[in-house]
Amino acid sequence: QLQLQESGPGLVNPSGTLSLTCTVSGGSIGSSHYWGWIRQPPGKGLEWIGSIYYSGDTYYNPSLKSRVTISVDTSKNRFSLNLSSVTAADTAVYYCARRAVSAAMGWFDPWGQGALVTVSS
Amino acid sequence: EIVLTQSPGTLSLSPGERATLSCRASQSFSSTYLAWYQQKPGQAPRLLISGASSRATGIPDRFSGGGSGTDFTLTISRLEPEDFAVYYCQQYGRSPYTFGQGTKLEIK
């Protein structure tokens, strides 16, 4: 059974860079899927951040594109998120999730359990 | 960007009742690209429905989805205690992929 697990610092300084890693187990990150990041501010809704293919092909939400970098490490079966110049508005639970390459099957499933990242000094 | 608006914001019902949740899109798109998720406190969202009407693996048949164009619905035929949660719709046909703001289904 495929499982995803987020990891990284839970506290980031304002203007710093938020860095998270999602480790995939029970399957290969090199399969025909995209791997994505979605975030949820406390008490609010869900926002797609971006996705990556195992080849390194990426696409991002335009609202965050200037600050986001998603990378993949196939040797370690994991992918990572970097979000720069963070503010308190970036405080959220960050989820990683899988989606199919085919647009017609492009829902997110499964999801990781989520990692709360707080931006504060 | 396709904006999804869910209604109502909060729905108060009793176990055994029928729930109907709405998701309206700012522009028309194929029902192929509409999903519903359930989220309970402290948990990640769980896929319920894809392609507007196809239940995900393990999802009880009391959950059903429908709609087309700009109007989609999630129906729970007979509410069980474990169904009280927040529900989100999502479109995955056009980037950026967007979610509705959620409907909270609470016990009356």
Side-chain angles (χ1 to χ4, degrees), chain A residues 51-103:
Chain A
S51 298
I52 190 166
Y53 194 55
Y54 76 92
S55 63
D57 179 34
T58 54
Y59 55 114
Y60 303 130
N61 190 324
S63 68
L64 296 167
K65 186 175 182 178
S66 64
R67 299 193 291 129
V68 172
T69 302
I70 298 176
S71 58
V72 64
D73 185 340
T74 55
S75 67
K76 295 183 178 179
N77 223 37
R78 68 188 190 189
F79 60 105
S80 299
L81 168 70
N82 278 355
L83 180 66
S84 63
S85 304
V86 297
T87 69
D90 295 309
T91 293
V93 175
Y94 286 76
Y95 296 101
C96 56
R98 183 187 72 173
R99 61 158 289 171
V101 170
S102 167

Short mmCIF file of all heavy atoms in Angstrom, two decimals, chain A residues 51-103:
data_model
loop_
_atom_site.label_atom_id
_atom_site.label_comp_id
_atom_site.label_asym_id
_atom_site.label_seq_id
_atom_site.Cartn_x
_atom_site.Cartn_y
_atom_site.Cartn_z
N SER A 51 3.32 20.45 -8.59
CA SER A 51 3.54 19.02 -8.78
C SER A 51 4.79 18.76 -9.58
O SER A 51 5.26 19.64 -10.33
CB SER A 51 2.34 18.40 -9.51
OG SER A 51 1.16 18.52 -8.74
N ILE A 52 5.32 17.55 -9.44
CA ILE A 52 6.54 17.16 -10.15
C ILE A 52 6.41 15.73 -10.64
O ILE A 52 5.78 14.89 -10.00
CB ILE A 52 7.78 17.33 -9.24
CG1 ILE A 52 9.07 17.16 -10.04
CG2 ILE A 52 7.73 16.36 -8.05
CD1 ILE A 52 10.31 17.64 -9.30
N TYR A 53 7.00 15.46 -11.80
CA TYR A 53 7.11 14.11 -12.36
C TYR A 53 8.50 13.59 -12.01
O TYR A 53 9.41 14.39 -11.75
CB TYR A 53 6.89 14.17 -13.87
CG TYR A 53 6.65 12.85 -14.54
CD1 TYR A 53 5.63 12.00 -14.11
CD2 TYR A 53 7.42 12.45 -15.62
CE1 TYR A 53 5.40 10.81 -14.75
CE2 TYR A 53 7.20 11.25 -16.26
CZ TYR A 53 6.19 10.43 -15.82
OH TYR A 53 5.96 9.23 -16.46
N TYR A 54 8.69 12.27 -12.03
CA TYR A 54 9.98 11.73 -11.61
C TYR A 54 11.13 12.22 -12.49
O TYR A 54 12.29 12.24 -12.08
CB TYR A 54 9.93 10.20 -11.59
CG TYR A 54 10.00 9.54 -12.94
CD1 TYR A 54 11.21 9.15 -13.50
CD2 TYR A 54 8.84 9.30 -13.68
CE1 TYR A 54 11.27 8.54 -14.73
CE2 TYR A 54 8.89 8.69 -14.92
CZ TYR A 54 10.11 8.31 -15.44
OH TYR A 54 10.17 7.72 -16.67
N SER A 55 10.79 12.63 -13.71
CA SER A 55 11.82 13.13 -14.63
C SER A 55 12.30 14.53 -14.24
O SER A 55 13.30 15.02 -14.77
CB SER A 55 11.25 13.18 -16.05
OG SER A 55 10.16 14.08 -16.12
N GLY A 56 11.55 15.17 -13.34
CA GLY A 56 11.88 16.53 -12.94
C GLY A 56 10.97 17.59 -13.53
O GLY A 56 11.08 18.77 -13.20
N ASP A 57 10.09 17.18 -14.41
CA ASP A 57 9.11 18.10 -15.00
C ASP A 57 8.20 18.64 -13.89
O ASP A 57 7.64 17.87 -13.13
CB ASP A 57 8.29 17.36 -16.04
CG ASP A 57 7.22 18.23 -16.68
OD1 ASP A 57 7.46 19.43 -16.84
OD2 ASP A 57 6.14 17.69 -16.99
N THR A 58 8.10 19.96 -13.82
CA THR A 58 7.32 20.57 -12.74
C THR A 58 6.27 21.53 -13.29
O THR A 58 6.42 22.05 -14.41
CB THR A 58 8.21 21.37 -11.78
OG1 THR A 58 8.97 22.32 -12.56
CG2 THR A 58 9.16 20.48 -11.01
N TYR A 59 5.22 21.74 -12.52
CA TYR A 59 4.32 22.84 -12.80
C TYR A 59 3.76 23.34 -11.48
O TYR A 59 3.54 22.55 -10.56
CB TYR A 59 3.24 22.48 -13.80
CG TYR A 59 2.38 21.28 -13.49
CD1 TYR A 59 1.02 21.46 -13.23
CD2 TYR A 59 2.88 19.98 -13.47
CE1 TYR A 59 0.21 20.38 -12.97
CE2 TYR A 59 2.07 18.91 -13.20
CZ TYR A 59 0.74 19.11 -12.95
OH TYR A 59 -0.06 18.04 -12.66
N TYR A 60 3.60 24.65 -11.41
CA TYR A 60 3.30 25.32 -10.17
C TYR A 60 2.03 26.16 -10.27
O TYR A 60 1.63 26.62 -11.33
CB TYR A 60 4.46 26.24 -9.77
CG TYR A 60 5.80 25.56 -9.62
CD1 TYR A 60 6.94 26.08 -10.24
CD2 TYR A 60 5.94 24.41 -8.85
CE1 TYR A 60 8.18 25.48 -10.11
CE2 TYR A 60 7.18 23.80 -8.71
CZ TYR A 60 8.29 24.33 -9.34
OH TYR A 60 9.52 23.73 -9.19
N ASN A 61 1.44 26.42 -9.11
CA ASN A 61 0.34 27.37 -9.03
C ASN A 61 0.92 28.77 -9.31
O ASN A 61 1.88 29.18 -8.64
CB ASN A 61 -0.29 27.32 -7.64
CG ASN A 61 -1.58 28.09 -7.56
OD1 ASN A 61 -1.74 29.14 -8.18
ND2 ASN A 61 -2.52 27.58 -6.79
N PRO A 62 0.36 29.48 -10.27
CA PRO A 62 0.90 30.81 -10.59
C PRO A 62 0.96 31.75 -9.39
O PRO A 62 1.82 32.63 -9.34
CB PRO A 62 -0.07 31.34 -11.65
CG PRO A 62 -0.61 30.11 -12.30
CD PRO A 62 -0.70 29.10 -11.20
N SER A 63 0.06 31.55 -8.44
CA SER A 63 0.02 32.44 -7.27
C SER A 63 1.25 32.28 -6.38
O SER A 63 1.56 33.16 -5.58
CB SER A 63 -1.24 32.16 -6.44
OG SER A 63 -1.17 30.88 -5.84
N LEU A 64 1.98 31.17 -6.53
CA LEU A 64 3.15 30.90 -5.69
C LEU A 64 4.41 30.67 -6.51
O LEU A 64 5.50 30.52 -5.94
CB LEU A 64 2.89 29.67 -4.82
CG LEU A 64 1.76 29.78 -3.80
CD1 LEU A 64 1.42 28.41 -3.25
CD2 LEU A 64 2.17 30.72 -2.66
N LYS A 65 4.26 30.65 -7.82
CA LYS A 65 5.33 30.20 -8.70
C LYS A 65 6.67 30.91 -8.46
O LYS A 65 7.74 30.28 -8.55
CB LYS A 65 4.91 30.40 -10.16
CG LYS A 65 5.88 29.83 -11.16
CD LYS A 65 5.34 29.94 -12.58
CE LYS A 65 6.31 29.32 -13.58
NZ LYS A 65 5.77 29.38 -14.96
N SER A 66 6.64 32.19 -8.16
CA SER A 66 7.88 32.95 -8.00
C SER A 66 8.67 32.53 -6.76
O SER A 66 9.86 32.83 -6.65
CB SER A 66 7.58 34.45 -7.94
OG SER A 66 6.80 34.75 -6.79
N ARG A 67 8.01 31.82 -5.84
CA ARG A 67 8.67 31.47 -4.57
C ARG A 67 8.85 29.97 -4.38
O ARG A 67 9.46 29.56 -3.40
CB ARG A 67 7.86 32.02 -3.39
CG ARG A 67 7.70 33.54 -3.37
CD ARG A 67 7.19 34.02 -2.03
NE ARG A 67 5.81 33.64 -1.78
CZ ARG A 67 5.40 33.03 -0.66
NH1 ARG A 67 6.27 32.70 0.29
NH2 ARG A 67 4.11 32.75 -0.50
N VAL A 68 8.33 29.17 -5.29
CA VAL A 68 8.29 27.72 -5.09
C VAL A 68 9.29 26.99 -5.96
O VAL A 68 9.46 27.31 -7.14
CB VAL A 68 6.88 27.17 -5.40
CG1 VAL A 68 6.87 25.65 -5.39
CG2 VAL A 68 5.87 27.71 -4.41
N THR A 69 9.92 25.98 -5.35
CA THR A 69 10.73 25.02 -6.10
C THR A 69 10.41 23.64 -5.58
O THR A 69 10.45 23.40 -4.36
CB THR A 69 12.24 25.27 -5.93
OG1 THR A 69 12.56 26.59 -6.35
CG2 THR A 69 13.04 24.27 -6.76
N ILE A 70 10.04 22.74 -6.47
CA ILE A 70 9.81 21.35 -6.12
C ILE A 70 10.84 20.51 -6.86
O ILE A 70 11.07 20.71 -8.05
CB ILE A 70 8.38 20.89 -6.49
CG1 ILE A 70 7.35 21.72 -5.69
CG2 ILE A 70 8.19 19.41 -6.18
CD1 ILE A 70 5.90 21.41 -6.06
N SER A 71 11.47 19.60 -6.13
CA SER A 71 12.50 18.75 -6.72
C SER A 71 12.25 17.30 -6.35
O SER A 71 11.48 17.01 -5.43
CB SER A 71 13.88 19.18 -6.24
OG SER A 71 13.96 19.13 -4.82
N VAL A 72 12.90 16.40 -7.06
CA VAL A 72 12.69 14.97 -6.82
C VAL A 72 14.04 14.28 -6.70
O VAL A 72 15.02 14.66 -7.39
CB VAL A 72 11.85 14.34 -7.95
CG1 VAL A 72 12.56 14.40 -9.28
CG2 VAL A 72 11.43 12.92 -7.60
N ASP A 73 14.11 13.29 -5.82
CA ASP A 73 15.29 12.45 -5.65
C ASP A 73 14.84 11.00 -5.81
O ASP A 73 14.36 10.39 -4.84
CB ASP A 73 15.91 12.69 -4.28
CG ASP A 73 17.23 11.94 -4.08
OD1 ASP A 73 17.48 10.97 -4.82
OD2 ASP A 73 18.00 12.32 -3.18
N THR A 74 14.97 10.47 -7.01
CA THR A 74 14.47 9.12 -7.27
C THR A 74 15.28 8.06 -6.53
O THR A 74 14.74 7.02 -6.18
CB THR A 74 14.48 8.82 -8.78
OG1 THR A 74 15.81 9.03 -9.29
CG2 THR A 74 13.51 9.72 -9.52
N SER A 75 16.55 8.33 -6.25
CA SER A 75 17.39 7.35 -5.55
C SER A 75 16.91 7.13 -4.11
O SER A 75 17.12 6.06 -3.54
CB SER A 75 18.85 7.79 -5.55
OG SER A 75 19.04 8.95 -4.77
N LYS A 76 16.27 8.17 -3.55
CA LYS A 76 15.77 8.07 -2.18
C LYS A 76 14.24 7.98 -2.14
O LYS A 76 13.65 8.01 -1.06
CB LYS A 76 16.26 9.26 -1.36
CG LYS A 76 17.78 9.27 -1.18
CD LYS A 76 18.25 10.41 -0.29
CE LYS A 76 19.76 10.36 -0.10
NZ LYS A 76 20.28 11.48 0.74
N ASN A 77 13.65 7.91 -3.31
CA ASN A 77 12.19 7.79 -3.41
C ASN A 77 11.46 8.90 -2.66
O ASN A 77 10.53 8.65 -1.87
CB ASN A 77 11.70 6.42 -2.91
CG ASN A 77 10.65 5.81 -3.81
OD1 ASN A 77 10.70 5.92 -5.03
ND2 ASN A 77 9.69 5.13 -3.21
N ARG A 78 11.87 10.12 -2.91
CA ARG A 78 11.26 11.24 -2.21
C ARG A 78 11.29 12.49 -3.08
O ARG A 78 12.05 12.57 -4.04
CB ARG A 78 11.97 11.49 -0.89
CG ARG A 78 13.41 12.01 -1.02
CD ARG A 78 14.11 12.06 0.32
NE ARG A 78 15.39 12.77 0.26
CZ ARG A 78 16.28 12.80 1.25
NH1 ARG A 78 16.02 12.16 2.39
NH2 ARG A 78 17.40 13.47 1.12
N PHE A 79 10.45 13.44 -2.71
CA PHE A 79 10.45 14.72 -3.38
C PHE A 79 10.33 15.82 -2.34
O PHE A 79 9.92 15.57 -1.20
CB PHE A 79 9.35 14.81 -4.45
CG PHE A 79 7.94 14.64 -3.95
CD1 PHE A 79 7.09 15.74 -3.84
CD2 PHE A 79 7.45 13.38 -3.62
CE1 PHE A 79 5.79 15.59 -3.41
CE2 PHE A 79 6.14 13.22 -3.18
CZ PHE A 79 5.31 14.32 -3.07
N SER A 80 10.71 17.02 -2.74
CA SER A 80 10.85 18.10 -1.76
C SER A 80 10.20 19.39 -2.22
O SER A 80 10.02 19.62 -3.42
CB SER A 80 12.33 18.36 -1.46
OG SER A 80 12.95 17.20 -0.93
N LEU A 81 9.88 20.21 -1.24
CA LEU A 81 9.28 21.53 -1.47
C LEU A 81 10.15 22.58 -0.82
O LEU A 81 10.53 22.45 0.35
CB LEU A 81 7.88 21.58 -0.86
CG LEU A 81 7.23 22.95 -0.76
CD1 LEU A 81 6.86 23.48 -2.14
CD2 LEU A 81 5.98 22.89 0.15
N ASN A 82 10.47 23.62 -1.56
CA ASN A 82 11.09 24.81 -1.00
C ASN A 82 10.20 26.00 -1.31
O ASN A 82 9.81 26.20 -2.48
CB ASN A 82 12.48 25.06 -1.60
CG ASN A 82 13.55 24.23 -0.92
OD1 ASN A 82 13.30 23.54 0.06
ND2 ASN A 82 14.75 24.28 -1.46
N LEU A 83 9.88 26.78 -0.28
CA LEU A 83 9.07 27.99 -0.45
C LEU A 83 9.85 29.13 0.19
O LEU A 83 10.09 29.12 1.40
CB LEU A 83 7.71 27.81 0.22
CG LEU A 83 6.75 29.00 0.13
CD1 LEU A 83 6.33 29.24 -1.32
CD2 LEU A 83 5.52 28.76 1.00
N SER A 84 10.24 30.08 -0.61
CA SER A 84 11.11 31.15 -0.13
C SER A 84 10.33 32.38 0.32
O SER A 84 9.13 32.51 0.06
CB SER A 84 12.09 31.55 -1.24
OG SER A 84 11.38 32.07 -2.36
N SER A 85 11.02 33.25 0.99
CA SER A 85 10.47 34.56 1.42
C SER A 85 9.14 34.39 2.14
O SER A 85 8.16 35.08 1.82
CB SER A 85 10.33 35.49 0.22
OG SER A 85 11.55 35.65 -0.46
N VAL A 86 9.09 33.49 3.10
CA VAL A 86 7.83 33.17 3.76
C VAL A 86 7.40 34.29 4.71
O VAL A 86 8.21 35.03 5.26
CB VAL A 86 7.89 31.83 4.50
CG1 VAL A 86 8.14 30.69 3.51
CG2 VAL A 86 8.96 31.86 5.59
N THR A 87 6.08 34.38 4.87
CA THR A 87 5.46 35.28 5.83
C THR A 87 4.48 34.46 6.67
O THR A 87 4.26 33.27 6.43
CB THR A 87 4.71 36.42 5.14
OG1 THR A 87 3.56 35.89 4.47
CG2 THR A 87 5.59 37.14 4.13
N ALA A 88 3.84 35.14 7.62
CA ALA A 88 2.86 34.45 8.46
C ALA A 88 1.74 33.83 7.63
O ALA A 88 1.13 32.83 8.03
CB ALA A 88 2.28 35.43 9.49
N ALA A 89 1.47 34.38 6.48
CA ALA A 89 0.42 33.86 5.61
C ALA A 89 0.75 32.48 5.05
O ALA A 89 -0.12 31.79 4.52
CB ALA A 89 0.15 34.82 4.45
N ASP A 90 2.00 32.07 5.16
CA ASP A 90 2.40 30.75 4.69
C ASP A 90 2.28 29.69 5.79
O ASP A 90 2.57 28.51 5.55
CB ASP A 90 3.84 30.79 4.17
CG ASP A 90 3.98 31.66 2.94
OD1 ASP A 90 3.19 31.46 1.98
OD2 ASP A 90 4.86 32.56 2.93
N THR A 91 1.88 30.10 6.97
CA THR A 91 1.63 29.13 8.05
C THR A 91 0.48 28.22 7.63
O THR A 91 -0.62 28.69 7.30
CB THR A 91 1.28 29.85 9.35
OG1 THR A 91 2.43 30.57 9.81
CG2 THR A 91 0.83 28.86 10.42
N ALA A 92 0.73 26.93 7.65
CA ALA A 92 -0.27 25.99 7.15
C ALA A 92 0.16 24.56 7.45
O ALA A 92 1.31 24.31 7.82
CB ALA A 92 -0.46 26.15 5.64
N VAL A 93 -0.78 23.66 7.28
CA VAL A 93 -0.44 22.24 7.20
C VAL A 93 -0.13 21.96 5.74
O VAL A 93 -0.93 22.29 4.85
CB VAL A 93 -1.59 21.35 7.69
CG1 VAL A 93 -1.24 19.87 7.48
CG2 VAL A 93 -1.89 21.62 9.16
N TYR A 94 1.03 21.37 5.51
CA TYR A 94 1.46 21.06 4.15
C TYR A 94 1.33 19.56 3.93
O TYR A 94 1.87 18.75 4.71
CB TYR A 94 2.91 21.52 3.94
CG TYR A 94 3.02 23.03 3.81
CD1 TYR A 94 2.94 23.85 4.93
CD2 TYR A 94 3.18 23.63 2.56
CE1 TYR A 94 3.02 25.23 4.82
CE2 TYR A 94 3.26 25.00 2.44
CZ TYR A 94 3.17 25.80 3.57
OH TYR A 94 3.25 27.18 3.46
N TYR A 95 0.59 19.21 2.88
CA TYR A 95 0.37 17.81 2.52
C TYR A 95 1.10 17.49 1.23
O TYR A 95 1.17 18.31 0.31
CB TYR A 95 -1.11 17.54 2.28
CG TYR A 95 -2.02 17.70 3.47
CD1 TYR A 95 -2.80 18.84 3.64
CD2 TYR A 95 -2.14 16.69 4.41
CE1 TYR A 95 -3.65 18.99 4.71
CE2 TYR A 95 -3.00 16.81 5.50
CZ TYR A 95 -3.74 17.97 5.64
OH TYR A 95 -4.59 18.10 6.70
N CYS A 96 1.61 16.26 1.15
CA CYS A 96 2.05 15.75 -0.14
C CYS A 96 1.03 14.70 -0.59
O CYS A 96 0.36 14.07 0.23
CB CYS A 96 3.46 15.18 -0.08
SG CYS A 96 3.78 13.88 1.12
N ALA A 97 0.93 14.54 -1.89
CA ALA A 97 -0.07 13.63 -2.44
C ALA A 97 0.34 13.19 -3.84
O ALA A 97 1.15 13.84 -4.50
CB ALA A 97 -1.45 14.30 -2.47
N ARG A 98 -0.27 12.11 -4.28
CA ARG A 98 0.01 11.59 -5.61
C ARG A 98 -1.16 11.88 -6.54
O ARG A 98 -2.32 11.87 -6.11
CB ARG A 98 0.23 10.07 -5.53
CG ARG A 98 0.59 9.42 -6.84
CD ARG A 98 0.61 7.90 -6.71
NE ARG A 98 -0.72 7.35 -6.57
CZ ARG A 98 -0.99 6.03 -6.57
NH1 ARG A 98 0.00 5.17 -6.70
NH2 ARG A 98 -2.23 5.60 -6.44
N ARG A 99 -0.86 12.14 -7.80
CA ARG A 99 -1.90 12.23 -8.80
C ARG A 99 -1.43 11.54 -10.07
O ARG A 99 -0.23 11.46 -10.34
CB ARG A 99 -2.32 13.67 -9.10
CG ARG A 99 -1.23 14.56 -9.64
CD ARG A 99 -1.81 15.75 -10.38
NE ARG A 99 -2.40 15.32 -11.66
CZ ARG A 99 -3.12 16.08 -12.45
NH1 ARG A 99 -3.40 17.31 -12.08
NH2 ARG A 99 -3.61 15.64 -13.58
N ALA A 100 -2.35 11.02 -10.83
CA ALA A 100 -2.01 10.31 -12.05
C ALA A 100 -1.54 11.29 -13.13
O ALA A 100 -1.86 12.48 -13.09
CB ALA A 100 -3.21 9.52 -12.56
N VAL A 101 -0.78 10.77 -14.08
CA VAL A 101 -0.33 11.59 -15.20
C VAL A 101 -1.51 11.96 -16.08
O VAL A 101 -1.62 13.10 -16.55
CB VAL A 101 0.74 10.85 -16.02
CG1 VAL A 101 1.02 11.58 -17.32
CG2 VAL A 101 2.01 10.71 -15.20
N SER A 102 -2.39 11.01 -16.27
CA SER A 102 -3.56 11.28 -17.10
C SER A 102 -4.44 12.31 -16.44
O SER A 102 -4.84 12.17 -15.29
CB SER A 102 -4.35 9.99 -17.31
OG SER A 102 -5.62 10.27 -17.84
N ALA A 103 -4.77 13.36 -17.18
CA ALA A 103 -5.62 14.41 -16.62
C ALA A 103 -6.96 13.87 -16.18
O ALA A 103 -7.53 14.33 -15.19
CB ALA A 103 -5.81 15.52 -17.65
#
